[in-house]
Amino acid sequence: MSRRILTDLSRDELTSWVEGTGNGSYRADQIRRWIYGKRVSSFDEMHDVPASLRNQLSEEFVLFASKISRHQTSKDGTEKLLLEMSDGEYVECVMMREEKRRTVCVSTQVGCAMGCVFCASGLQGLKRDLSTGEILDQILRADRLLKPDERITNVVIMGIGEPLANLKNLIPALLTLNEKGGMGLGARRITVSTVGLPEKIDELAELNIQFNLAISLHAPNDDLRTEIVPVNKNIRIEKILKAADDYFDKTGRRITYEYVLLAGVNDGNEQAVELGKLLKHRNAHVNLIPMNDVAPLALHAPSAPRTNQFIETLRSWNVNATVRKRKGADIDAACGQLRLDQQANAEPVVHSHDVT
Ligand code: SAH
């Protein structure tokens, strides 16, 4: 029988398992401290856990859900991992360094079913959901890239996949990231980015935890949005904004609206005005993302002056807007691109940095 992924177990589940082995339940917290706090890469390194229990752990579980298939480092310090899951599927995660921040961008699915026309992740549809442990694994892997004095400060759920389409597996992962006995990251340092699934936004709000919500709007009206984000056909912007407003009322967290700027498609002054009107009375921040080129697609970012004009127009409607900084451009750090490459080549990847 194949071994289970340890991080698929919640604290309660691990506690029951430990009790089942005849050990004291406090051993579960001890084990979790080694994984989330002390960055071990094997059960053997868990020195204060009895050897017999360590043996049982390694017979039943794997500590990592993935193998590192490729590890790239950008000139700006961004690192990107291509991770191979036990069934041979690939996902990506990215660790971005800023002066005071280390932000990890995490995937939630293998592929994506949303089909946004500018996005590399959805080009070949959805393969499957990631499990809770497979989501957390990306954080563990990124954490082990850091120097001893560096810590992960922020997590963005903005990698491959639609996080809210896999909410069942995502929620336990979010809770572990947030828990003291887990990664211990404040909820305000964790951002979930969604295409905008209203019922799922409501479900997330019901947790009553201050996770940040980012909504990929990309257009100010339904006709244009449905062209760019096909799932919008059955959703509509109004319902998304209602769910977002409720999320703000419940959590007090200002909503971020992401808007990929596509030259000649949604970057006109007309759209900026329409977006301004839509958001001016809301507690919102617009994050403009110049399109990152995706090889098979004929969509591109507008010029810098056009981008600046778009921002100025939004600001004239009293809507807060910034342009997302590009990180790791030299390593294709925009998510989905490496996995796509990997599939196109269908050859085993050459650089192996497996540390399991
Ligand atoms: N499915 C989620 C999270 C994944 S992507 C969502 O839709 O929000 C995170 C952000 O990157 C989204 O706003 C997405 O629209 C954007 N994105 C995807 N491909 C891009 C590209 N080629 N250039 C710029 N932004 C892109």
Side-chain angles (χ1 to χ4, degrees), residues 118-119 158-159 161-162 193-195 216 218 258 260 289 292 294:
F118 51 83
C119 177
M158 289 189 186
E162 169 46 45
S193 175
T194 175
V195 73
S216 295
H218 306 326
E258 292 160 290
V260 174
I289 319 173
N292 269 311
V294 175

Side-chain angles (χ1 to χ4, degrees), residues 166-196:
N166 186 17
L167 198 54
K168 179 171 66 58
N169 295 340
L170 177 64
I171 286 178
L174 291 175
L175 297 178
T176 297
L177 288 178
N178 186 222
E179 262 167 22
K180 283 246 157 42
M183 291 297 293
L185 268 180
R188 293 165 172 225
R189 294 173 172 274
I190 301 171
T191 301
V192 178
S193 175
T194 175
V195 73

